[in-house]
Amino acid sequence: MSSPASSARSSLLQRASLPPANPGMSFPLDKSKFEVGFTTLAARVPASRSREVRDNKIIQGSFLSIPRFSSYVVDPQNPKEKRLILLDTPEKDELTSEVLSELELAAGHPLDLLPYSFTLGFDHWTTSDLMDSILPLELRDGAPTAFTFAGHLAHMNLKDNYLPYKYQIGEIVLHKNTTLRTVVNKLDTIDNEFRFFKMEVIAGETDFLVNTIESGCKFTFDFSTVYWNSRLSTEHDRLISLFQPGQLVADVFAGVGPFAVPAAKKRCLVLGNDLNPSSAEWMQKNRVANKVEKSLTVSNIDGRLFIHQTPLQSYLHPFPALAPPAPKRVRTSKTSTANATNSSTPSSPPKAPAPALAPTPSPLFVSHYVMNLPGSALEFLDAFRGSYTPLLSVQKEGGAEGERLTVEEVEMPLVHVHCFSKFEGEEAESDVAERASESLGFPISRASTPDFSLKEVRRVAPKKLMFCVTFRLPREVAFATERVWSPLDPVKESHGH
Ligand SMILES: C[S@@+](CC[C@H](N)C(=O)[O-])C[C@H]1O[C@@H](n2cnc3c(N)ncnc32)[C@H](O)[C@@H]1O
């Protein structure tokens, strides 16, 4: 039901949600220019009855309600005995008779209503209000309020037409998000080989050293020299949840370790690789910071070479067996203590000491390959061709002298490859399967390949989706005799879309 009072309320709030227009305001922002004065009605109530008034459901609907602004203030004229309850209209006539009589009942007769003036400033407006205020009318639609966090740093991707306002935009983002110290704008598309981008600081400190937490692990890295994307945290967690403790995981494009470090923390044995020396260096530091030195090794070689050599390397040089996890401390409750001391209680036999746990045996075969380089990871699949063939010529572990492994004895890994596609649904699946098949030199599909699945990870642009295709590596590929790629080949260009 609409009443004069309710239309007055909405008009006050409407005014309160719009800071004055300051289009093209120069940098640094003059915060006083965002102030707006308002006058509204206040009901003077005895301090002793103010709670009663505030809790009254009928009156509550007429209170002034503005985020980060209190509608309940001490009366400056009688601070000891009186309080002011701010109402959502400047006109008494706009309050319903029901509200007025409830106010009288709760606050006393005659009702003491007075004008109350206040100012809303920079801190009261939302990011989007402030953007609207500083941008010219034609740029307000689609104003850049979205950004991605990495620790204290926010990165934005401003379109060309917003660049003249980049410092103002940066300052608004910095001030409205108290955990931020630095706001950067990407200067190019993420096109370089190592997937980090050139950036420019548009607000705050020039500090690219990020400390953050993901999947329960601590990560530190220089954001200006490595790849990091907090939006992938769900995908990181999804794959990590597929890895079982004791399995060997090979991360071909590991970055600073968002798959590798948490996987090692959950007692997988992990080979983390990245061609970017800076990523490998920070992964190494994150390995130490998270105390996973025994379950994670770091390498800094091309992904194709890494794929090619891991089957044999991990068979010949497995991780040392991991010590069993420390037994969990069992807190003795009062009841169980009482039972333990009461030898006459037949239902509580003394607990046998926990059996000693055996060390986790070292896996000889990789169970999971992770390949998150969506622009070109599918092309790297050619390196799997024949990569397992050398295993057939080595002495079988634990076998008789000269005994060799058979093809069937070798565990085939699950391969998780991230990629982009402009298609969706079934079309995306055919597109990805076709490109993967071409690279593997062998057809793979949901129908023909064990454990085949396609997961949509996220939309990166209106016509560009990121996927993760998972499949069991076919033995025909792993033990192929002819290769399409050799370690002696020159390193291929690895970037692209
Ligand atoms: C998209 S990032 C993924 C990083 C990390 N796995 C993650 O999920 O955040 C891809 C990584 O591949 C690395 N890279 C690019 N080309 C490579 C290559 N030829 N061999 C190995 N690593 C490569 C880049 O340095 C970058 O760290």
mmCIF file with all atom_site columns, all heavy atoms in Angstrom, residues 83-94:
data_model
loop_
_atom_site.group_PDB
_atom_site.id
_atom_site.type_symbol
_atom_site.label_atom_id
_atom_site.label_alt_id
_atom_site.label_comp_id
_atom_site.label_asym_id
_atom_site.label_entity_id
_atom_site.label_seq_id
_atom_site.pdbx_PDB_ins_code
_atom_site.Cartn_x
_atom_site.Cartn_y
_atom_site.Cartn_z
_atom_site.occupancy
_atom_site.B_iso_or_equiv
_atom_site.pdbx_formal_charge
_atom_site.auth_seq_id
_atom_site.auth_comp_id
_atom_site.auth_asym_id
_atom_site.auth_atom_id
_atom_site.pdbx_PDB_model_num
ATOM 1   N N   . ARG A 1 83 ? 17.174 11.434 23.904 1.00 0.00 ? 83 ARG A N   1
ATOM 2   C CA  . ARG A 1 83 ? 17.749 10.874 22.671 1.00 0.00 ? 83 ARG A CA  1
ATOM 3   C C   . ARG A 1 83 ? 16.900 11.348 21.501 1.00 0.00 ? 83 ARG A C   1
ATOM 4   O O   . ARG A 1 83 ? 15.707 11.652 21.675 1.00 0.00 ? 83 ARG A O   1
ATOM 5   C CB  . ARG A 1 83 ? 17.726 9.335  22.700 1.00 0.00 ? 83 ARG A CB  1
ATOM 6   C CG  . ARG A 1 83 ? 18.509 8.721  23.839 1.00 0.00 ? 83 ARG A CG  1
ATOM 7   C CD  . ARG A 1 83 ? 20.026 8.873  23.623 1.00 0.00 ? 83 ARG A CD  1
ATOM 8   N NE  . ARG A 1 83 ? 20.775 8.308  24.735 1.00 0.00 ? 83 ARG A NE  1
ATOM 9   C CZ  . ARG A 1 83 ? 21.208 9.000  25.789 1.00 0.00 ? 83 ARG A CZ  1
ATOM 10  N NH1 . ARG A 1 83 ? 20.942 10.304 25.890 1.00 0.00 ? 83 ARG A NH1 1
ATOM 11  N NH2 . ARG A 1 83 ? 21.886 8.417  26.750 1.00 0.00 ? 83 ARG A NH2 1
ATOM 12  N N   . LEU A 1 84 ? 17.515 11.358 20.295 1.00 0.00 ? 84 LEU A N   1
ATOM 13  C CA  . LEU A 1 84 ? 16.758 11.706 19.092 1.00 0.00 ? 84 LEU A CA  1
ATOM 14  C C   . LEU A 1 84 ? 16.665 10.466 18.194 1.00 0.00 ? 84 LEU A C   1
ATOM 15  O O   . LEU A 1 84 ? 17.684 9.815  17.927 1.00 0.00 ? 84 LEU A O   1
ATOM 16  C CB  . LEU A 1 84 ? 17.455 12.831 18.325 1.00 0.00 ? 84 LEU A CB  1
ATOM 17  C CG  . LEU A 1 84 ? 17.637 14.164 19.070 1.00 0.00 ? 84 LEU A CG  1
ATOM 18  C CD1 . LEU A 1 84 ? 18.387 15.174 18.191 1.00 0.00 ? 84 LEU A CD1 1
ATOM 19  C CD2 . LEU A 1 84 ? 16.267 14.731 19.480 1.00 0.00 ? 84 LEU A CD2 1
ATOM 20  N N   . ILE A 1 85 ? 15.453 10.156 17.782 1.00 0.00 ? 85 ILE A N   1
ATOM 21  C CA  . ILE A 1 85 ? 15.249 9.074  16.818 1.00 0.00 ? 85 ILE A CA  1
ATOM 22  C C   . ILE A 1 85 ? 14.975 9.755  15.484 1.00 0.00 ? 85 ILE A C   1
ATOM 23  O O   . ILE A 1 85 ? 14.013 10.528 15.365 1.00 0.00 ? 85 ILE A O   1
ATOM 24  C CB  . ILE A 1 85 ? 14.024 8.207  17.202 1.00 0.00 ? 85 ILE A CB  1
ATOM 25  C CG1 . ILE A 1 85 ? 14.130 7.691  18.631 1.00 0.00 ? 85 ILE A CG1 1
ATOM 26  C CG2 . ILE A 1 85 ? 13.803 7.103  16.185 1.00 0.00 ? 85 ILE A CG2 1
ATOM 27  C CD1 . ILE A 1 85 ? 14.964 6.462  18.841 1.00 0.00 ? 85 ILE A CD1 1
ATOM 28  N N   . LEU A 1 86 ? 15.845 9.501  14.485 1.00 0.00 ? 86 LEU A N   1
ATOM 29  C CA  . LEU A 1 86 ? 15.704 10.201 13.211 1.00 0.00 ? 86 LEU A CA  1
ATOM 30  C C   . LEU A 1 86 ? 14.668 9.492  12.343 1.00 0.00 ? 86 LEU A C   1
ATOM 31  O O   . LEU A 1 86 ? 14.698 8.269  12.196 1.00 0.00 ? 86 LEU A O   1
ATOM 32  C CB  . LEU A 1 86 ? 17.045 10.266 12.483 1.00 0.00 ? 86 LEU A CB  1
ATOM 33  C CG  . LEU A 1 86 ? 18.223 10.803 13.311 1.00 0.00 ? 86 LEU A CG  1
ATOM 34  C CD1 . LEU A 1 86 ? 19.449 10.977 12.435 1.00 0.00 ? 86 LEU A CD1 1
ATOM 35  C CD2 . LEU A 1 86 ? 17.868 12.137 13.987 1.00 0.00 ? 86 LEU A CD2 1
ATOM 36  N N   . LEU A 1 87 ? 13.766 10.279 11.801 1.00 0.00 ? 87 LEU A N   1
ATOM 37  C CA  . LEU A 1 87 ? 12.689 9.715  10.977 1.00 0.00 ? 87 LEU A CA  1
ATOM 38  C C   . LEU A 1 87 ? 13.006 9.937  9.498  1.00 0.00 ? 87 LEU A C   1
ATOM 39  O O   . LEU A 1 87 ? 13.841 10.774 9.146  1.00 0.00 ? 87 LEU A O   1
ATOM 40  C CB  . LEU A 1 87 ? 11.357 10.350 11.375 1.00 0.00 ? 87 LEU A CB  1
ATOM 41  C CG  . LEU A 1 87 ? 11.014 10.124 12.863 1.00 0.00 ? 87 LEU A CG  1
ATOM 42  C CD1 . LEU A 1 87 ? 9.840  10.986 13.279 1.00 0.00 ? 87 LEU A CD1 1
ATOM 43  C CD2 . LEU A 1 87 ? 10.729 8.649  13.133 1.00 0.00 ? 87 LEU A CD2 1
ATOM 44  N N   . ASP A 1 88 ? 12.262 9.216  8.687  1.00 0.00 ? 88 ASP A N   1
ATOM 45  C CA  . ASP A 1 88 ? 12.616 9.154  7.272  1.00 0.00 ? 88 ASP A CA  1
ATOM 46  C C   . ASP A 1 88 ? 11.878 10.178 6.421  1.00 0.00 ? 88 ASP A C   1
ATOM 47  O O   . ASP A 1 88 ? 11.669 9.951  5.232  1.00 0.00 ? 88 ASP A O   1
ATOM 48  C CB  . ASP A 1 88 ? 12.318 7.723  6.769  1.00 0.00 ? 88 ASP A CB  1
ATOM 49  C CG  . ASP A 1 88 ? 13.213 7.345  5.619  1.00 0.00 ? 88 ASP A CG  1
ATOM 50  O OD1 . ASP A 1 88 ? 14.038 8.179  5.225  1.00 0.00 ? 88 ASP A OD1 1
ATOM 51  O OD2 . ASP A 1 88 ? 13.088 6.213  5.132  1.00 0.00 ? 88 ASP A OD2 1
ATOM 52  N N   . THR A 1 89 ? 11.462 11.255 7.034  1.00 0.00 ? 89 THR A N   1
ATOM 53  C CA  . THR A 1 89 ? 10.779 12.299 6.270  1.00 0.00 ? 89 THR A CA  1
ATOM 54  C C   . THR A 1 89 ? 11.003 13.651 6.950  1.00 0.00 ? 89 THR A C   1
ATOM 55  O O   . THR A 1 89 ? 11.115 13.718 8.171  1.00 0.00 ? 89 THR A O   1
ATOM 56  C CB  . THR A 1 89 ? 9.256  12.017 6.200  1.00 0.00 ? 89 THR A CB  1
ATOM 57  O OG1 . THR A 1 89 ? 8.626  13.145 5.630  1.00 0.00 ? 89 THR A OG1 1
ATOM 58  C CG2 . THR A 1 89 ? 8.668  11.740 7.570  1.00 0.00 ? 89 THR A CG2 1
ATOM 59  N N   . PRO A 1 90 ? 11.073 14.719 6.166  1.00 0.00 ? 90 PRO A N   1
ATOM 60  C CA  . PRO A 1 90 ? 11.217 16.043 6.787  1.00 0.00 ? 90 PRO A CA  1
ATOM 61  C C   . PRO A 1 90 ? 9.870  16.647 7.195  1.00 0.00 ? 90 PRO A C   1
ATOM 62  O O   . PRO A 1 90 ? 9.826  17.691 7.845  1.00 0.00 ? 90 PRO A O   1
ATOM 63  C CB  . PRO A 1 90 ? 11.869 16.870 5.677  1.00 0.00 ? 90 PRO A CB  1
ATOM 64  C CG  . PRO A 1 90 ? 11.544 16.175 4.397  1.00 0.00 ? 90 PRO A CG  1
ATOM 65  C CD  . PRO A 1 90 ? 11.189 14.767 4.705  1.00 0.00 ? 90 PRO A CD  1
ATOM 66  N N   . GLU A 1 91 ? 8.752  16.022 6.821  1.00 0.00 ? 91 GLU A N   1
ATOM 67  C CA  . GLU A 1 91 ? 7.426  16.606 7.040  1.00 0.00 ? 91 GLU A CA  1
ATOM 68  C C   . GLU A 1 91 ? 6.589  15.757 7.996  1.00 0.00 ? 91 GLU A C   1
ATOM 69  O O   . GLU A 1 91 ? 6.387  14.568 7.741  1.00 0.00 ? 91 GLU A O   1
ATOM 70  C CB  . GLU A 1 91 ? 6.667  16.687 5.701  1.00 0.00 ? 91 GLU A CB  1
ATOM 71  C CG  . GLU A 1 91 ? 7.381  17.452 4.609  1.00 0.00 ? 91 GLU A CG  1
ATOM 72  C CD  . GLU A 1 91 ? 7.502  18.930 4.916  1.00 0.00 ? 91 GLU A CD  1
ATOM 73  O OE1 . GLU A 1 91 ? 6.704  19.431 5.748  1.00 0.00 ? 91 GLU A OE1 1
ATOM 74  O OE2 . GLU A 1 91 ? 8.403  19.576 4.364  1.00 0.00 ? 91 GLU A OE2 1
ATOM 75  N N   . LYS A 1 92 ? 6.059  16.404 9.050  1.00 0.00 ? 92 LYS A N   1
ATOM 76  C CA  . LYS A 1 92 ? 5.205  15.693 10.012 1.00 0.00 ? 92 LYS A CA  1
ATOM 77  C C   . LYS A 1 92 ? 3.968  15.126 9.308  1.00 0.00 ? 92 LYS A C   1
ATOM 78  O O   . LYS A 1 92 ? 3.529  14.008 9.589  1.00 0.00 ? 92 LYS A O   1
ATOM 79  C CB  . LYS A 1 92 ? 4.776  16.648 11.130 1.00 0.00 ? 92 LYS A CB  1
ATOM 80  C CG  . LYS A 1 92 ? 3.960  15.960 12.204 1.00 0.00 ? 92 LYS A CG  1
ATOM 81  C CD  . LYS A 1 92 ? 3.613  16.908 13.327 1.00 0.00 ? 92 LYS A CD  1
ATOM 82  C CE  . LYS A 1 92 ? 2.671  16.211 14.308 1.00 0.00 ? 92 LYS A CE  1
ATOM 83  N NZ  . LYS A 1 92 ? 2.163  17.076 15.330 1.00 0.00 ? 92 LYS A NZ  1
ATOM 84  N N   . ASP A 1 93 ? 3.410  15.914 8.346  1.00 0.00 ? 93 ASP A N   1
ATOM 85  C CA  . ASP A 1 93 ? 2.190  15.494 7.640  1.00 0.00 ? 93 ASP A CA  1
ATOM 86  C C   . ASP A 1 93 ? 2.379  14.170 6.912  1.00 0.00 ? 93 ASP A C   1
ATOM 87  O O   . ASP A 1 93 ? 1.418  13.498 6.554  1.00 0.00 ? 93 ASP A O   1
ATOM 88  C CB  . ASP A 1 93 ? 1.793  16.517 6.560  1.00 0.00 ? 93 ASP A CB  1
ATOM 89  C CG  . ASP A 1 93 ? 1.471  17.848 7.194  1.00 0.00 ? 93 ASP A CG  1
ATOM 90  O OD1 . ASP A 1 93 ? 1.411  17.898 8.428  1.00 0.00 ? 93 ASP A OD1 1
ATOM 91  O OD2 . ASP A 1 93 ? 1.304  18.816 6.432  1.00 0.00 ? 93 ASP A OD2 1
ATOM 92  N N   . GLU A 1 94 ? 3.635  13.844 6.640  1.00 0.00 ? 94 GLU A N   1
ATOM 93  C CA  . GLU A 1 94 ? 3.876  12.627 5.859  1.00 0.00 ? 94 GLU A CA  1
ATOM 94  C C   . GLU A 1 94 ? 3.988  11.381 6.739  1.00 0.00 ? 94 GLU A C   1
ATOM 95  O O   . GLU A 1 94 ? 4.193  10.280 6.241  1.00 0.00 ? 94 GLU A O   1
ATOM 96  C CB  . GLU A 1 94 ? 5.135  12.801 5.005  1.00 0.00 ? 94 GLU A CB  1
ATOM 97  C CG  . GLU A 1 94 ? 4.913  13.821 3.900  1.00 0.00 ? 94 GLU A CG  1
ATOM 98  C CD  . GLU A 1 94 ? 6.170  14.163 3.135  1.00 0.00 ? 94 GLU A CD  1
ATOM 99  O OE1 . GLU A 1 94 ? 7.269  13.837 3.612  1.00 0.00 ? 94 GLU A OE1 1
ATOM 100 O OE2 . GLU A 1 94 ? 6.040  14.787 2.074  1.00 0.00 ? 94 GLU A OE2 1
#
